[in-house]
Amino acid sequence: MRIVIRIDELMLRKKMSLNQLSEQVGISTTNLSLLKNGHVRGVRFNTLLAICQALDCRPGDILDIEEEA
């Protein structure tokens, strides 16, 4: 199993660009891109909260568990 990040799907629904989300959350587009592509080892709760507020969602909408093939 692995944890997957679903920020892309939520951004698409909100018609929000990576730059717009980055500005609202207060982290760099580089760090946000790394997070959205699953290239990080962790995420701070305050960052997760800021993303949830910007995308009007809950943490479970962003983070999911997926079976590995």
Side-chain angles (χ1 to χ4, degrees):
M1 290 194 297
R2 66 186 185 106
I3 294 178
V4 292
I5 310 294
R6 305 218 182 269
I7 292 176
D8 277 342
E9 297 167 19
L10 296 167
M11 287 172 47
L12 187 62
R13 286 185 205 150
K14 292 287 183 183
K15 297 179 181 166
M16 185 179 291
S17 72
L18 189 65
N19 288 333
Q20 290 171 320
L21 183 59
S22 171
E23 288 175 14
Q24 287 190 27
V25 173
I27 63 174
S28 71
T29 55
T30 301
N31 285 338
L32 189 56
S33 180
L34 288 170
L35 174 62
K36 134 180 132 63
N37 292 314
H39 298 294
V40 295
R41 296 184 60 111
V43 60
R44 292 178 183 211
F45 285 150
N46 61 345
T47 301
L48 185 59
L49 178 60
I51 292 170
C52 287
Q53 289 172 334
L55 294 174
D56 190 30
C57 66
R58 303 186 60 83
D61 298 327
I62 294 174
L63 303 172
D64 201 0
I65 296 178
E66 195 173 81
E67 294 289 332
E68 292 188 57

